[in-house]
Amino acid sequence: MRRDALAGFWEQTGVLGPIYRLVGKGLNDESIALKLGLTEVKVRGCIAWIVHLLELKSRQELVLYASTAA
């Protein structure tokens, strides 16, 4: 998916959008979980799914990717 196509996609995916944005701001799993009222396990699972969806190699790549999209 292209970056501009992702903007609408994240808005339609419930919790993934907020997690994606907070990862881009550099928050850790615990901070994201507290901010969104989720468990850290749920946050880690969502981040793993986003990394897989975007065909990235790691969370660090996701942080770079998401921070440049903001």
Side-chain angles (χ1 to χ4, degrees):
M1 267 185 204
R2 291 187 18 225
R3 190 180 305 263
D4 54 327
L6 285 173
F9 175 77
W10 295 128
E11 297 305 318
Q12 298 172 17
T13 55
V15 73
L16 294 178
I19 290 173
Y20 177 80
R21 283 189 289 280
L22 293 172
V23 166
K25 291 182 178 182
L27 275 69
N28 64 24
D29 295 348
E30 180 182 10
S31 297
I32 293 170
L34 289 171
K35 194 173 234 3
L36 298 178
L38 301 169
T39 66
E40 284 184 62
V41 171
K42 176 77 167 181
V43 170
R44 282 193 294 271
C46 290
I47 290 171
W49 192 87
I50 295 168
V51 167
H52 174 75
L53 175 74
L54 296 176
E55 299 178 354
L56 301 172
K57 294 178 184 165
S58 65
R59 180 196 172 101
Q60 290 78 15
E61 277 192 23
L62 175 60
V63 170
L64 289 173
Y65 189 90
S67 66
T68 60

